Structure formats: structure tokens, C-alpha cells
Amino acid sequence: MQISDLPYPDPGVPDARSGPRFLVWLGRGQLGGQLASLCWGLVHFGGIAGLPYAVGLGVEAVVEGDGTRLLLVGALLALLGVAISVGDAMLHRTAVTNWITAAARVQQLLARKTAELGSALTRRVAAGEVVAVSTGDVEKIGWFVEAVSRFLAAAFAVVLVCVGLLFYAPAIGVVVAIGVPVVALAVLPLLPRATQRADVQREKAGRATELASDTVAGLRVLRGIGGEELFLGRYREASQEVREAAVRSARMWALISAIQVLLPGALMVTVVWYGSALVLDGRLAVGQLVAAFSAVATMLYPLRHFEEIAMAYSFSRPSAKRAARVLSLTRSGAEAPAEAERERGAAPEAPAPGGDLYDPQTGLLAPAGRFTAVVCGDPDLAGRLADRLGGHPMELDGGASALLGGVELDALALDTARGLVLVQDKDPVLLSGTLCELLGVPASGAVEARAALAAAQCADVLDALLQSAPDGVSDPMDARITERGRSLSGGQRQRLALARSLVTDPEVLVLDEPTSAVDSHTEARIADGLAGLRAGRTTVVLASSPLLLDRADRVVLIHEGAALAAGTHRELLRDDRRYRAVVTRETDEEQRLARLEHALTEQALTEHAHTEHALTEIEESA
């Protein structure tokens, strides 16, 4: 895979059981790039490993006065220089390619998971964590994948130098062969503590990012209540905690770096001191001493990659853990490993048109082709119910899935489920662009944009868009909508989102409080337009507004997680006090007084009837 070939046609199914498993899966998925980087790394570090021996041979040739041998050594040095230069350039090229392709794969996986889960993602994972994973964590993961091949090549060079010295100069080679592993492994006891401090730093940074994201998202509210300074102070405290954690982590890595400078220096001094003694005793040639000294000096560079791989892993492991946590989420609410997803096999076929929508968790039944309204006293329950009806059951629901025509929605392919059931959230998002682009969504073609706008009562929205449009724009469909529709009021954004949902004309449309931000007169007209435009199509509206409920063919009351009553709005209002309490928002005391008043009225009417009956009997007897 080259950078020009990105994005991946299919990023694959990740092994998201843990962070290390996810890193292994990434590396295994680009073995070709890793092998190419490793080969060029061997060329580069092999040239570096050969330099000490070439220098030693050159010194011996000078000492012995062998000009031919010195020319051969010069040619060898030139060849090694070419290998080092070309290998370094190609190693950098292939390593960076591995970095970018690994990061791109992770970003594609995250984007696919975001599209799969939709709004349910931010209910399961904090928005700040999602931002941190898709930005900084992706780079850390790519860094580790890129560093692996360079580390393996550097390790090969270190082994090659030690083994070569054992054969070239055994007397001094033994010292180098013993000292180099000690130098390379001396920092291992410090790595767990360094990794722990790096984890703490990443956790604090993630919380600070989450706090910043929440503050930016609620900036308008904070300004309205004067809470800017409060949240600024909280972010300042979180930022200082991140700084302190970063300093503690940097101290540990500085200690590791100092050890990796000090110990090779000590090894070099030892080699020179011991080698000089061997030369004076006649047991070691001058060229061999120069070769040993050069070998220790050149190994400082490959040994640096031991520190880098340790740093890369310590920083990428928590990042991979967070990425794996996000990628392990499924539409069914369970965190399933990659193997389980593979074993699921082919998704079942889509149900035949005209099937009822049924939620086994609550017992809610929405008959096909009917306008069903659902009343929930708990807004959180209503949100979870909307997710479940769209094929996104959450962990709190025990994995239960809604059925459409007897087929589980979360078992269907994502595109199929989305085409059958469309769920509009309580707070829908408008994307920037023209109104025509906003309404240019995949649709059946049965509902025109103008008809959907009319049903959603968007006439004043069109006027507002035209007024804010630049000169020359006469058609409101060409007027631009700002990012997230910030130039519009909450009710206007809500109505445009409703029009967008109506244009798609899905088999089942689920709306969660679609008119909570509009006035009662507009709400009544929207209820009529919605019922008319969706006639013959299955529509489920979660609301408590009497204006919407009165237009529904069937109303279902959900109380304490179960469907307790069903009927028309007026029937339930008359016969079910729990329904009446939710819709009219009566308190317990008001209900008690109402029941008492009703009982007194009934008693008065009964006594009046008895009195009338007694008077009639007296008149007849007289």
C-alpha cells in the first residue's frame, strides 16, 4: 500500500480485544510495507555495522604499508557509504509510508464505526475521548507501527557488530559482546514506571480534551449563565495537571536517555583502556583496537532505536487501548471481539414491506402503515427506545433488538437497516451547504422537497434564508445554511431536520420530540402535515404534546419500561390517570384533588338523583 493508494478500499475487521492485540493486527495488516522497511533498514544499518571493520582493515593496511589493500579498503568504504545513504533515504521513505498508512487505516476504522453507531457513539463514549482517539492517538499508533521495522534493523546491526568482533578480534570482542547487551537492557527496569507515568499523562490529557470539548459545545449556555470563568478555571486546573504529569513523565525518559548515553560512554572507555593494554602486550593489533573503538562508537546510533521503540510502545499502548475500546462497540451494544464479528456470517435478508415494528423490551407495537405516538415519562428511556427502534440497542437494554416484520434490526446489514428505519434524534444536526444539498439525501423519490418543507411548516425558514443570502440568490433552495445551522433558531433548525427526514420517505420513520422547539400553532399544523404526508407509512413519534397525540392513529403509554396502555389520545386521557399525569403534567397532589373532586361530584349527583326519585314518589302518592 502506497500513500497515493489511500484510502483503503476496505480497512478490514480489527482485533479490538485489547490495545496490544490491535497493534499486532495493524502490523500484520501491512507486512509488505514492514518487510520493505526492514530490508532497507538492514541495508542502512548493515553499512553502519561494516564501517568499523573497514576502518580497522584500513589502519592495518597503513601500518603494513600495503597500498593495494588500502585501495580495496577505500572501495569498500565507498560501497558502505552508498549503502548507508541509499538505505537511510529508502528506510525513511518506507517507514513514513508505514506510519501514514497505519494512521489512515485507524482513521478509516473510526470513521466507519462512527457512521455505524451514529449518535449512539457519544452516548457510550465521551465526545472528548472520541476526539482524542481520532487525532493524537492515531499519530501515536502510527509511530509505533513505523518504529518496529527500524528497531528490528537496528537490533540486527548490533548483533552483527558483536558477532563480527568476536571473530575479527576475539580478545576485545568478548568485552564488547558482554557490554552491549548490558547497555541495551539496562533501562528495562525503568520502562514500567516510565510507561505508567506516560499512561497517567495520557489519561489527564484525555480528560482535559473532553473538558475543552464540552466547554466549547456549551459556550453559548455558559455565556448566558455567566459560567465562563468557572469552566475556564476548571480547564486551567486540568491543564496544570497535564503539565505536571508531562514533566514527571519527561523526567523518567530523560533518565533513560542519560543512562543510554552514560553506559555506552563507559563501555567505550573500558574498550579503549583494556584494548590499549592488549596492544602493549602484543595480543591485539592496532587496527583491531581501532575497529573495536569504532564499533562501540557507531553502536550509539542503533542503540538509540531501543529507546525509541520503548517510548513508542509506552505512548501507543494506551492510545491503542482507547481506539480498541471505540472499535469494539457494536450496534447490539456488546463489545464483541473481531472473531465474533467474523463468525456472525451473512446478514439476514430484509423483511418484506408492510411488517409491524415491535420492541420486545417494552412490548411496544407500531402497526404497519399507522401513525403511532409513544408517551414516555422518562426522557432518557425515550432516547434509548428511539435508538433501539433504529437498530441500535444500548448496553443498558441488555442487547435487545427491535423487530421489523419479525426480523431483528441489529442483525441486518447497516445499509439495509438504515434504509428501512430512519431515526431523527431529539437534537438533529444540520450540515453546512445549500438547502438543496441539505435535502439531497438518499430517498425513495416519492416525496418532493417542496412537499416536505410545506409539511414541516418551513415557509418562514425559507424567507429567513433568502434574507440572509447574498444578492442574486432568488431561490431559497440555493440559499446557504451555516455550520450546524447556527444562524437559525432552534425551532427553524428542528423543522428543517424534519423536512429532511420526510424527504427520505423511509418505510419506518421514528421521530423523537420533533416539535419541542416550536409554538403550539405551528405544532398543530406540523401534526396535520406529518399525518397527511406519511399516510399509509409507518410513523412512530415519541412525544408528550397533546397536539401531536391527538393526530395519531394509536397512542401507547410506556411506564417504567413497559407498554401499559394503548388507544386513542382522548380514550387514554379519559380512562388512564397515569397517561393523564404525563400528558397534562399533573402532580400527585393535583391528581388526588381531582379524584376527590370527582368522587364528591359523583356523590352529589347520586344524592340529587335519590332526592328527585323521592320527590317523584311523594307527588305520585299525593
Side-chain angles (χ1 to χ4, degrees), residues 231-542:
F231 274 79
L232 182 61
R234 291 181 181 177
Y235 180 75
R236 187 179 293 113
E237 293 177 0
S239 179
Q240 290 301 315
E241 290 180 1
V242 174
R243 181 188 63 80
E244 293 173 0
V247 170
R248 294 184 72 250
S249 178
R251 285 174 180 168
M252 185 58 65
W253 288 113
L255 177 60
I256 292 175
S257 298
I259 291 175
Q260 290 198 328
V261 171
L262 176 64
L263 292 184
L267 177 61
M268 188 178 299
V269 171
T270 302
V271 168
V272 172
W273 173 76
Y274 182 63
S276 300
L278 293 177
V279 170
L280 293 176
D281 292 342
R283 292 186 294 168
L284 187 69
V286 175
Q288 292 176 328
L289 175 59
V290 172
F293 173 80
S294 301
V296 175
T298 55
M299 275 194 296
L300 291 177
Y301 172 59
L303 284 175
R304 281 289 182 183
H305 291 77
F306 286 72
E307 176 190 357
E308 182 190 9
I309 194 66
M311 290 184 64
Y313 180 72
S314 65
F315 280 98
S316 65
R317 187 175 61 84
S319 297
K321 180 180 179 181
R322 279 190 291 270
R325 178 171 179 262
V326 174
L327 295 175
S328 65
L329 298 175
T330 62
R331 292 166 58 200
S332 62
E335 298 191 4
E339 287 75 5
E341 288 194 13
R342 295 190 189 99
E343 293 173 359
R344 290 180 65 178
E349 295 183 359
D356 296 338
L357 180 63
Y358 176 68
D359 175 40
Q361 186 76 11
T362 60
L364 169 66
L365 175 66
R370 304 286 298 279
F371 181 3
T372 302
V374 180
V375 175
C376 290
D378 183 0
D380 292 335
L381 174 61
R384 296 198 301 270
L385 176 59
D387 285 334
R388 205 159 53 242
L389 294 177
H392 296 286
M394 299 183 65
E395 294 91 336
L396 298 176
D397 299 322
S401 172
L403 308 176
L404 180 61
V407 178
E408 292 186 358
L409 283 173
D410 68 339
L412 295 173
L414 181 61
D415 293 341
T416 303
R418 291 276 171 85
L420 292 171
V421 182
L422 174 65
V423 179
Q424 177 177 306
D425 294 329
K426 187 178 302 184
D427 186 21
V429 176
L430 300 182
L431 302 180
S432 60
T434 64
L435 182 58
C436 183
E437 293 171 343
L438 176 70
L439 300 180
V441 292
S444 65
V447 178
E448 296 182 355
R450 302 283 182 180
L453 290 168
Q457 300 299 310
C458 293
D460 64 316
V461 184
L462 302 182
D463 294 339
L465 290 175
L466 275 180
Q467 290 176 2
S468 61
D471 296 337
V473 177
S474 58
D475 188 350
M477 299 299 291
D478 297 328
R480 293 195 64 81
I481 300 172
T482 57
E483 180 187 3
R484 299 178 67 92
R486 298 187 188 279
S487 61
L488 302 173
S489 67
Q492 290 173 330
R493 290 195 298 270
Q494 199 171 55
R495 282 177 281 162
L496 281 181
L498 177 60
R500 179 179 58 188
S501 300
L502 293 174
V503 165
T504 61
D505 189 40
E507 180 177 339
V508 179
L509 177 61
V510 179
L511 304 173
D512 188 4
E513 294 288 355
T515 59
S516 59
V518 301
D519 59 82
S520 58
H521 298 289
T522 305
E523 186 178 31
R525 292 194 295 268
I526 290 176
D528 292 334
L530 179 63
L533 196 63
R534 292 287 299 174
R537 309 286 275 171
T538 306
T539 305
V540 179
V541 178
L542 290 90

Side-chain angles (χ1 to χ4, degrees), residues 192-216:
R193 182 174 297 180
T195 302
Q196 181 181 11
R197 292 189 179 185
D199 290 348
V200 172
Q201 177 194 352
R202 295 298 301 163
E203 290 177 4
K204 291 183 179 296
R207 287 198 293 268
T209 302
E210 180 180 346
L211 180 60
S213 176
D214 292 342
T215 302
V216 171

Side-chain angles (χ1 to χ4, degrees), residues 23 25 30 46 85 88 91 162 177 222 337 387 395 425 436 490 528 552 574 599:
L23 291 175
W25 177 85
Q30 52 187 79
S85 300
D88 187 27
L91 172 61
C162 294
L222 291 177
D387 285 334
E395 294 91 336
D425 294 329
C436 183
D528 292 334
R574 183 187 64 239

